[in-house]
Amino acid sequence: MEPEIPNVEDAFAVLASSLRLQILQALADETDGISRSFTDLYEAVDTSNTSQFSYHLNELTDRYVQQTEEGYVISDAGRRIIQSMNAGEYTLQPDFEPVTVSTHCPYCGETSAEATYDGQLATVDCLSCEFTLLRYDLRPAHVENRSPLQALKAADRQMRAEYGTALTGVCPRCGGSIDLDVLTGSKVDPATALIVCDCRHCGTTLSAPVEIALLHHPEVVSRYWDEDVNTVTTPIWEMLSHLAKWSVELDESEPLTVVAAENERIRIDVSCEAWAQANLIDSVRLHNCRRTH
Ligand SMILES: [Zn+2]
Ligand SMILES: [Zn+2]
């Protein structure tokens, strides 16, 4: 039987009240998971009308608030709403000053790039050929109490952690199942093999070149660690000078991906089948955009 589809409009309409959001915040502040009594909660919010308070609390109950024998606790859904609200995800825009970073442009060899925020994404663009090297989902919390460079590094780490989780078959945003595709021969960049992670549940899509995915591979991590390079925490714009020396070969008949890094000092065979088996993924599919059939 298909699960019942919740009424999304109702779920959000319930939140359109400052008193209800105050109630959720008061419950979220109770971090040790103890229920708050009706009276305690009433005194924590800004109202002097018991019946009005009771009505609003009742509207939140079940979906965002759970009633226990001792009182009221916030639900997981309620806590996620309050966490996103406190992080400014619905109300704030990041305040980000442009910053210059060291890199290696794979298209022209330039070693400087500028990171700017365009109102939706932070992009790192080559200062010479202006190609966009990287895109980041910069959130208000990334910039808080951080310099522009630290904020960009925070967004880089978050993006890589989320992509790393998606590569194991788990959506980093909702926990749903991931469909994983290896895309080759794209018109945008024929030399690159992209690994695309699609969540079947919430529609999140994360994609990056196969080299970025392999920066977490134990063989790559240990080889670079010997050279004092931490491939997990070094920002991608700095790793680009190393990645420029990698070559990616794709044996599409298997399908098998072979990456020879830095003049074949590291060779890694990535079998799509083994990848799927080692993770929570049904299958890894290889698509060649050049093929017409
Ligand atoms: Zn360039
Ligand atoms: Zn998802």
Side-chain angles (χ1 to χ4, degrees):
M1 198 175 99
E2 286 289 310
E4 196 183 327
I5 298 170
N7 187 331
V8 176
E9 205 175 314
D10 283 354
F12 284 109
V14 164
L15 297 167
S17 145
S18 66
L19 184 58
R20 291 178 201 172
L21 293 175
Q22 275 186 54
I23 293 171
L24 285 182
Q25 184 70 64
L27 287 170
D29 290 343
E30 196 59 66
T31 47
D32 46 11
I34 296 169
S35 297
R36 293 190 84 156
S37 69
F38 183 91
T39 314
D40 177 35
L41 201 51
Y42 174 68
E43 283 169 2
V45 298
D46 186 21
T47 183
S48 53
N49 184 329
T50 322
S51 59
Q52 190 192 45
F53 171 75
S54 176
Y55 165 73
H56 286 297
L57 179 59
N58 195 41
E59 287 291 293
L60 289 169
T61 305
D62 291 341
R63 205 189 302 262
Y64 297 113
V65 173
Q66 278 151 10
Q67 193 168 7
T68 67
E69 282 183 13
E70 295 81 30
Y72 297 88
V73 285
I74 193 163
S75 70
D76 287 343
R79 195 175 292 283
R80 281 196 292 273
I81 291 288
I82 289 298
Q83 284 166 345
S84 303
M85 209 176 77
N86 290 347
E89 285 178 18
Y90 303 118
T91 49
L92 299 175
Q93 282 231 326
D95 186 11
F96 184 80
E97 290 291 320
V99 62
T100 303
V101 295
S102 299
T103 187
H104 175 94
C105 173
Y107 302 97
C108 75
E110 169 65 47
T111 55
S112 293
E114 188 180 49
T116 52
Y117 178 68
D118 69 0
Q120 287 193 318
L121 292 170
T123 61
V124 179
D125 304 307
C126 172
L127 275 175
S128 178
C129 73
E130 295 179 4
F131 195 89
T132 297
L133 305 173
L134 299 161
R135 288 182 177 82
Y136 292 105
D137 176 14
L138 191 74
R139 301 173 195 178
H142 286 143
V143 301
E144 200 155 316
N145 301 322
R146 291 193 177 112
S147 69
L149 184 59
Q150 286 174 331
L152 197 65
K153 284 182 178 178
D156 180 83
R157 286 196 187 183
Q158 176 145 19
M159 182 271 279
R160 292 179 65 192
E162 290 188 351
Y163 187 53
T165 303
L167 288 170
T168 68
V170 180
C171 174
R173 309 267 163 86
C174 79
S177 300
I178 291 285
D179 284 329
L180 213 142
D181 297 285
V182 182
L183 218 69
T184 62
S186 135
K187 273 186 196 151
V188 181
D189 191 352
T192 304
L194 279 181
I195 301 194
V196 184
C197 306
D198 274 315
C199 175
R200 282 182 224 162
H201 211 65
C202 73
T204 291
T205 297
L206 298 166
S207 72
V210 66
E211 294 93 323
I212 307 282
L214 288 173
L215 288 177
H216 289 266
H217 193 285
E219 228 174 306
V220 176
V221 172
S222 81
R223 186 59 69 101
Y224 279 93
W225 183 250
D226 289 344
E227 297 169 16
D228 290 330
V229 179
N230 186 332
T231 59
V232 178
T233 57
T234 304
I236 298 216
W237 57 86
E238 286 179 26
M239 285 306 299
L240 288 178
S241 61
H242 295 284
L243 298 183
K245 297 171 201 154
W246 289 26
S247 62
V248 178
E249 301 159 20
L250 289 160
D251 180 349
E252 290 165 28
S253 59
E254 279 291 321
L256 186 75
T257 306
V258 180
V259 174
E262 301 225 4
N263 304 322
E264 309 209 357
R265 282 184 298 129
I266 313 171
R267 286 194 76 89
I268 304 160
D269 295 345
V270 182
S271 145
C272 291
E273 203 184 322
W275 193 336
Q277 273 179 6
N279 291 292
L280 292 169
I281 296 169
D282 295 338
S283 67
V284 176
R285 293 167 305 190
L286 193 79
H287 295 282
N288 186 335
C289 304
R290 276 191 300 264
R291 282 190 198 138
T292 51
H293 56 276

